[in-house]
């Protein structure tokens, strides 16, 4: 896909489709286009064929003008970032449904922030092309070849072009995450993820990949992580991908992504209903792959280490049992009261390992608790952090990218619930499951700035549209982009 920005005379650019986002009151470019079509757009509004209401649409054939068709998308009531993104996503998916190869996107519909609008446009065009195609045959090539983002002034094309590169990278990163997450667990094993990490870094000067096998993890004392993979015939891996976009001396942001390639619950076996969706229990890890891919595409001047603990959680004769006590790499002991609370058991050792990179900041991303769905539904990720500034930066990254989170507290009244009679802590608490899970992790992250994103509600859709969403790649990239430019 080719993206470019242009301020050339709009009536002369030959394309298959022109995308016009407009409300029922035609303004600026919409007016100009309407004039060139002798009032054809006004006529559609008058007749009721196009209402201009939020994300509604209508296609107008132009019979011999430079653009063969005009795709109208309604913007009335698009007063929030979230709604503007919705409009652009509708436009991109409708564009994909037409037989267009070349498209022109009118970029003056919302505001003067062309970098942002162009970025959401490119991201939407990329994510609208995603199609699950397993691990085998490549999908049919897309018809759409190029999209030009049009703005009225030549000076605006500079920021628009920046937004296009960034949005394209974010969209591709989301698709990378979705592709891995949608892949069934009989293909997407911890070893498969390790091979994909090596593939991602191959030929990339800025990226190095290192895989720690179970023997390496044993030598490091990762007894907690290894207690989760104990019952599986698939060996666990600790995948480490380092992206170096800044001088070596710059402290990295470390991203730690939970990758339980399948979560049966272990001996604390889950119920059968919907268990297939536990192939998505590696979405945190998949989002780290998505971010590394987007960093390669954007070449952001920042250092980022992606750590992905990858295991399968299975019941077996040699699986960990409720009541077993394990010793984490930090030296703290854990009573495993429930083997289905396995995410925190792999994350705690990965978080201890993260300290060796002398991080500026550590962010973990995990489909950690069903309880976060009870608290925030499938709309918003849960955010918990030991640092107010970091929490604020992630929240605003989420707002700007339309990939939002909401903060929950990490107070000691909750932490108390982790008390154990037989170890330093138990792996489950009582009420407020999302918070007690984060309190558990907080016991391993005292030495650095840290945030935890619980994405159990947002990482995938259930029902007829079942599939991974690619979240929270947009939020994380927005955070990193802002950090890299400050
Ligand atoms: N992977 C699950 C969390 C999950 C559950 C995500 C449902 C999406 C939908 C996690 O490993 C888990 O099983 N958590 C338990 C924790 C409990 C045993 C304290 C949960 O949420 O029920
Ligand atoms: Mn579980
Ligand atoms: Zn899990």
């Amino acid at each position: 896909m080719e993206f470019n920005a242009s301020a050339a005379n709009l009536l002369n650019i030959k394309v298959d489709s022109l995308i016009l986002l407009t409300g029922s009151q035609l303004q600026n470019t919409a007016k100009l286009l309407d004039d060139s079509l002798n009032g054809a757009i006004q006529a559609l509004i008058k007749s009721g064929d196009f209402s201009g209401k939020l994300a509604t649409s209508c296609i107008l054939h132009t019979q011999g003008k430079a653009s063969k068709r005009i795709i109208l998308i309604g913007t009335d009531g698009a007063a929030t970032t979230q709604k503007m993104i919705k409009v652009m996503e509708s436009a991109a998916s409708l564009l994909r449904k037409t037989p267009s190869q070349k498209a022109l996107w009118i970029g003056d519909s919302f505001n003067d922030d062309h970098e942002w609008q162009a970025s959401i446009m490119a991201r939407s065009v990329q994510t609208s092309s995603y199609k699950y195609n397993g691990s085998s045959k490549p999908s049919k090539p897309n018809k759409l070849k190029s999209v030009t983002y049009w703005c009225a002034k030549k000076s605006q094309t500079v920021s628009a072009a920046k937004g296009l590169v960034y949005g394209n990278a974010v969209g591709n990163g989301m698709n990378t995450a979705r592709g891995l997450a949608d892949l069934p667990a009989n293909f997407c094993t911890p070893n498969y993820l390790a091979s994909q990490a090596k593939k991602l870094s191959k030929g990339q000067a800025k990226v190095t990949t290192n895989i720690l096998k179970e023997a390496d993890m044993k030598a490091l004392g990762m007894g907690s992580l290894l207690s989760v993979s104990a019952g599986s015939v698939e060996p666990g891996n600790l995948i480490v991908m380092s992206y170096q976009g800044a001088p070596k001396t710059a402290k990295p942001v470390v991203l730690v992504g939970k990758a339980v390639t399948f979560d049966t619950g272990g001996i604390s076996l889950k119920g059968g209903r919907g268990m297939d969706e536990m192939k998505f229990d590696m979405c945190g890890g998949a989002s780290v792959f998505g971010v590394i891919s987007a960093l390669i595409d954007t070449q952001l001047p920042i250092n980022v280490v992606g750590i992905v603990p990858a295991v399968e959680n299975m019941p077996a004769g040699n699986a960990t049992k409720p009541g077993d006590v394990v010793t984490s790499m930090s030296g703290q002991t854990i009573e495993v009261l429930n083997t289905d609370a396995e995410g925190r058991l792999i994350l705690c050792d990965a978080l201890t390992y993260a300290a060796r990179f002398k991080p500026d900041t550590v962010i973990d991303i995990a489909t950690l608790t069903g309880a976060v769905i009870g608290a925030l539904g499938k709309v918003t990720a849960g955010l918990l952090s030991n640092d107010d500034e970091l929490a604020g930066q992630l929240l605003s990254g989420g707002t700007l990218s339309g990939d939002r989170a909401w903060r929950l507290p990490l107070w000691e009244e909750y932490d108390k619930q982790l008390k154990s009679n037989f170890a330093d802590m138990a792996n489950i608490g009582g009420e407020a499951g999302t918070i007690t899970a984060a309190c558990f992790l907080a016991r391993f992250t005292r030495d650095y700035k840290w945030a935890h994103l619980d994405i159990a509600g947002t990482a995938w859709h259930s029902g007829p549209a079942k599939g991974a969403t690619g979240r929270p790649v947009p939020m994380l990239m927005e955070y990193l982009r802002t950090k890299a430019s400050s």
Side-chain angles (χ1 to χ4, degrees):
M1 178 67 57
E2 194 189 307
F3 290 108
N4 48 62
S6 168
N9 184 341
L10 161 87
L11 303 176
N12 296 336
I13 306 176
K14 278 203 160 38
V15 288
D16 301 304
S17 291
L18 182 149
I19 295 97
L20 178 66
L21 316 179
T22 179
S24 59
Q25 297 291 320
L26 301 184
Q27 278 165 357
N28 307 329
T29 316
K31 230 183 206 150
L32 191 125
L33 273 167
D34 188 48
D35 288 344
S36 80
L37 293 159
N38 304 317
I41 300 174
Q42 273 299 357
L44 280 174
I45 294 168
K46 227 175 167 177
S47 66
D49 290 287
F50 177 65
S51 69
K53 284 199 189 116
L54 192 81
T56 56
S57 63
C58 182
I59 295 181
L60 171 63
H61 287 265
T62 60
Q63 323 289 0
K65 300 280 178 192
S67 169
K68 285 186 205 156
R69 65 175 75 69
I70 297 184
I71 300 178
L72 297 160
I73 306 284
T75 58
D76 279 343
T80 61
T81 303
Q82 214 65 23
K83 284 183 177 158
M84 291 183 226
I85 294 173
K86 187 177 168 208
V87 169
M88 290 194 255
E89 286 175 345
S90 311
S93 57
L94 184 54
L95 170 62
R96 288 278 181 194
K97 289 190 185 111
T98 68
S100 308
Q101 293 188 9
K102 284 183 76 170
L104 184 66
W105 185 293
I106 307 304
D108 70 349
S109 323
F110 296 122
N111 53 46
D112 286 333
D113 190 346
H114 291 281
E115 184 171 349
W116 180 76
Q117 286 178 87
S119 80
I120 301 293
M121 184 276 264
R123 174 181 118 188
S124 304
V125 168
Q126 287 302 23
T127 53
S128 66
S129 79
Y130 174 79
K131 206 173 162 296
Y132 171 74
N133 69 317
S135 58
S136 52
K137 52 182 193 286
S139 55
K140 270 201 302 208
N142 283 300
K143 290 182 294 280
L144 191 63
K145 293 282 180 294
S146 79
V147 184
T148 299
Y149 179 93
W150 185 88
C151 31
K153 298 186 195 127
K154 182 105 180 86
S155 59
Q156 296 167 335
T157 58
V158 180
S159 45
K162 264 208 223 154
L164 293 174
V165 172
Y166 174 75
N168 176 50
V170 174
N172 283 332
M174 292 170 80
N175 289 347
T176 297
R178 292 159 83 187
L180 290 171
D182 285 344
L183 193 63
N186 57 327
F187 298 108
C188 187
T189 60
N191 277 341
Y192 177 82
L193 286 177
S195 71
Q196 290 306 108
K198 284 186 199 142
K199 204 167 144 191
L200 193 59
S201 60
K202 203 167 174 196
Q204 293 298 335
K206 290 190 168 72
V207 190
T208 48
T209 291
N210 187 18
I211 311 293
L212 276 66
K213 304 237 152 252
E214 289 200 340
D216 305 317
M217 292 190 267
K218 196 167 177 206
L220 286 165
M222 294 188 173
S224 182
L225 188 156
L226 290 168
S227 78
V228 179
S229 64
S232 173
V233 295
E234 298 290 345
N237 289 312
L238 189 78
I239 301 164
V240 184
M241 295 172 275
S242 304
Y243 169 85
Q244 201 203 319
K248 273 206 172 72
T249 48
K251 289 183 168 180
V253 172
V254 178
L255 303 176
V256 179
K258 170 182 173 182
V260 175
T261 57
F262 197 83
D263 181 13
T264 63
I267 297 297
S268 312
L269 194 64
K270 286 184 181 294
R273 225 175 118 217
M275 209 210 270
D276 65 288
E277 295 191 8
M278 282 301 121
K279 74 171 182 178
F280 294 120
D281 209 17
M282 37 64 72
C283 281
S287 75
V288 173
F289 278 79
V291 167
I292 299 289
S293 144
L295 288 170
I296 292 170
D297 286 352
T298 52
Q299 299 280 301
L300 279 188
I302 191 169
N303 292 338
V304 176
V305 179
I307 303 180
V308 179
V311 300
E312 189 181 64
N313 187 23
M314 294 288 276
N318 57 351
T320 301
K321 302 167 291 297
D324 286 1
V325 172
V326 300
T327 303
S328 66
M329 183 181 172
S330 72
Q332 301 177 92
T333 57
I334 303 160
E335 184 187 10
V336 182
L337 286 177
N338 190 321
T339 63
D340 197 11
E342 84 298 340
R344 62 199 80 181
L345 295 176
I346 67 169
L347 288 172
C348 70
D349 279 342
L351 287 165
T352 300
Y353 187 74
R356 70 177 47 200
F357 298 99
K358 307 220 169 349
D360 171 85
T361 300
V362 179
I363 303 166
D364 79 75
I365 310 105
T367 50
L368 205 62
T369 64
V372 80
I373 307 173
L376 298 168
K378 303 212 72 169
V379 178
T380 313
L383 166 68
L384 299 100
S385 178
N386 62 14
D387 187 273
D388 291 343
E389 191 189 13
L390 172 60
Q393 289 164 341
L394 285 166
L395 290 175
S396 49
T399 303
L400 202 57
S401 62
D403 179 16
R404 293 183 292 182
W406 195 255
R407 193 176 180 187
L408 298 170
L410 264 182
W411 296 322
E412 68 174 72
E413 289 90 332
Y414 296 101
D415 177 81
K416 273 190 207 151
Q417 297 181 30
L418 297 172
K419 192 186 168 318
S420 160
N421 289 351
F422 305 104
D424 294 329
M425 70 195 89
N427 78 328
I428 54 169
E431 293 156 343
T434 303
I435 300 174
T436 52
C439 285
F440 178 96
L441 298 177
R443 291 173 176 233
F444 299 84
T445 61
R446 290 188 180 121
D447 297 339
Y448 46 68
K449 271 194 290 183
W450 161 75
H452 160 64
L453 288 165
D454 193 331
I455 58 164
T458 57
W460 76 89
H461 298 299
S462 306
K466 192 188 286 183
T469 60
R471 292 176 68 182
V473 172
M475 180 206 301
L476 292 169
M477 281 304 293
E478 199 60 54
Y479 164 78
L480 293 172
R481 186 175 75 126
T482 307
K483 198 168 176 70
S485 69
S486 63

